């Protein structure tokens, strides 16, 4: 799964060197990032025109905190590939003007001609980025109160307990407008949410179900995450 996703990024860069790539952080895309880094190095791929957008961030968590999305992107992608700052767009979740951060991100995406490839994970409550259950499908970037599940599951990224409350995230309108979306999920624990994503109703209360509407939306999963799908039986 990770290799296929990393290959998709490589293919995109080959076809469109000035592509706009949006990536989630979290456990799921870690190996994809590592494999992408390896492929770029092996194939001496030119990524100097690529624009990189970070999907989301925990509000009030500093970029140096190992649980922040910033930290993930720096560690897994930006530093290993020495990507210059001008190619990187991450939310500054420490800003006291979060609305400005949202509008800035929306403007960058618009100015660059939209997102070519979005690679997202899925939360245990069906969230994508921090598009929590009940969120509108028509939002661009926004700040949101985090759902109970996100608050408790989210602690796994932090060495010591942190106070999480809000997230800043691209919206599901961005996802719908992206030229291609890959939703990645692996492991038994994601089987239930994958079933809901692809086989149950399209509903605001389960944001990942929006994938059903995307004309170029691909759910890329391993066998364990696919284990509850009826077509799998
Ligand atoms: C996190 C992030 C998402 C991520 C999801 C799944 O809270 N906000 O962007 O995709 O939850 O994370 P993981 O891949 O660690 O299961």
């Amino acid at each position: 799964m990770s290799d296929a996703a990393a290959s998709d990024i490589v293919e995109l860069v080959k076809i469109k060197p000035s592509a706009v790539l949006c990536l989630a952080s979290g456990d799921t895309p870690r190996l994809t990032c590592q494999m992408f880094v390896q492929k770029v190095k092996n194939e001496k791929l030119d990524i100097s025109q690529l624009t990189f957008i970070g999907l989301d961030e925990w509000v009030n968590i500093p970029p140096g905190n190992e649980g922040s999305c910033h930290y993930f992107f720096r560690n897994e992608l930006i530093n290993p590939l020495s990507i210059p700052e001008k190619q990187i767009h991450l939310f500054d979740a420490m800003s006291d003007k979060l609305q400005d951060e949202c509008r800035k991100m929306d403007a960058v995406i618009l100015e660059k001609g939209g997102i070519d490839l979005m690679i997202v994970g899925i939360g245990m409550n069906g969230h994508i980025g921090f598009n929590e259950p009940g969120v509108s499908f028509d939002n661009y970037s926004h700040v949101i109160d985090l759902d109970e599940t996100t608050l408790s599951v989210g602690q796994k990224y932090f060495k010591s307990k942190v106070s999480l409350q809000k997230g800043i995230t691209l919206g599901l309108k961005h996802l719908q407008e992206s030229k291609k979306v890959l939703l990645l999920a692996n492991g038994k624990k994601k089987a239930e949410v994958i079933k809901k994503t692809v086989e149950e109703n399209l509903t605001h209360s389960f944001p990942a179900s929006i994938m059903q509407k995307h004309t170029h939306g691909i759910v890329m999963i391993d066998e364990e995450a696919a284990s509850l799908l009826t077509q799998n039986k």
Side-chain angles (χ1 to χ4, degrees):
M1 180 192 81
S2 301
D3 188 46
S7 298
D8 266 26
I9 314 176
V10 168
E11 286 317 306
L12 171 68
V13 177
K14 284 182 182 166
I15 295 166
K16 185 177 179 185
S18 63
V20 179
L21 170 70
C22 171
L23 210 62
S25 53
D27 293 335
T28 313
R30 191 180 296 277
L31 191 52
T32 298
C33 289
Q34 292 168 356
M35 290 181 140
F36 175 65
V37 168
Q38 218 38 62
K39 286 176 195 287
V40 170
K41 289 183 174 168
N42 292 347
E43 299 183 30
K44 298 195 175 30
L45 196 68
D46 179 10
I47 56 158
S48 61
Q49 293 180 63
L50 186 70
T51 294
F52 176 77
I53 308 269
L55 176 66
D56 56 3
E57 186 57 281
W58 307 96
V59 168
N60 269 334
I61 299 295
N65 186 311
E66 77 289 334
S68 71
C69 302
H70 258 81
Y71 193 92
F72 175 97
F73 294 129
R74 294 237 163 259
N75 239 13
E76 303 295 351
L77 216 59
I78 302 171
N79 291 346
L81 291 175
S82 307
I83 307 179
E85 290 303 316
K86 65 174 193 315
Q87 289 175 247
I88 312 283
H89 300 275
L90 305 177
F91 287 115
D92 173 6
M94 297 299 286
S95 166
D96 50 10
K97 291 186 177 137
L98 291 173
Q99 289 311 322
D100 289 359
E101 282 298 302
C102 292
R103 300 297 71 85
K104 226 162 63 187
M105 188 62 96
D106 293 348
V108 166
I109 295 171
L110 198 67
E111 182 210 307
K112 301 275 175 198
I115 298 169
D116 292 288
L117 176 62
M118 196 162 176
I119 300 187
V120 300
I122 179 170
M124 297 305 288
N125 52 6
H127 76 191
I128 288 181
F130 283 130
N131 287 277
E132 301 289 61
V135 77
S136 161
F137 290 159
D138 294 325
N139 280 347
Y140 288 105
S141 301
H142 58 282
V143 177
I144 189 166
D145 288 329
L146 297 173
D147 180 79
E148 280 305 316
T149 308
T150 304
L151 295 176
S152 55
V153 176
Q155 293 294 333
K156 71 173 174 168
Y157 305 114
F158 299 91
K159 283 203 186 106
S160 47
K161 202 168 172 0
V162 286
S163 159
L164 303 170
Q165 272 180 318
K166 290 176 187 286
I168 180 167
T169 183
L170 259 62
L172 294 176
K173 192 78 177 166
H174 284 123
L175 181 140
Q176 291 173 83
E177 290 179 356
S178 291
K179 289 163 198 125
K180 179 174 175 180
V181 184
L182 295 185
L183 185 150
L184 306 182
N186 63 296
K188 192 105 197 124
K189 68 171 187 208
K190 292 285 170 81
E192 187 67 45
V193 289
I194 286 302
K195 184 179 170 56
K196 286 190 179 160
T197 300
V198 298
E199 290 189 346
E200 292 183 14
N201 293 342
L202 173 61
T203 164
H204 293 277
S205 57
F206 199 80
S209 62
I210 191 71
M211 288 297 290
Q212 295 174 19
K213 258 181 78 174
H214 202 290
T215 46
H216 204 177
I218 297 167
V219 174
M220 210 177 247
I221 51 183
D222 71 351
E223 284 184 22
E224 286 189 351
S227 59
L228 293 178
L229 297 180
T230 51
Q231 284 124 332
N232 206 39
K233 296 220 167 87

